[in-house]
Amino acid sequence: MRFVIAALGVVLVLVGAVWTLQGANLLGGSVMSGSPMWLVIGLVALVAGIWLVVRAVRARRA
C-alpha cells in the first residue's frame, strides 16, 4: 500500500509541476498557459503530492 501512496504522490508532484508552470505562463502551448486558476490548482496538487511522498517514506521507516 505504501508503494501505491508513494507512486500517487510522485504522479501528483509531476502533474502539479506542469500545471504550475503552465499557470505561471512559463510553459506554453496550452489553454492553461497564463491562467491563475491553473497556477493555484498546480500548487495544490504539488503540495499534496509532496505530502503523500513524505508520508509514504516515513511509513516505511516505522
Side-chain angles (χ1 to χ4, degrees):
M1 187 65 179
R2 285 176 246 150
F3 176 76
V4 174
I5 292 172
L8 180 62
V10 169
V11 169
L12 271 175
V13 166
L14 294 174
V15 170
V18 170
W19 287 348
T20 300
L21 291 173
Q22 285 181 331
N25 207 20
L26 297 173
L27 186 64
S30 173
V31 176
M32 296 185 287
S33 296
S35 174
M37 179 183 72
W38 286 106
L39 177 64
V40 172
I41 291 171
L43 288 172
V44 169
L46 188 64
V47 170
I50 291 170
W51 181 78
L52 284 175
V53 170
V54 168
R55 179 178 168 199
V57 169
R58 285 189 180 172
R60 283 189 187 168
R61 290 183 185 168

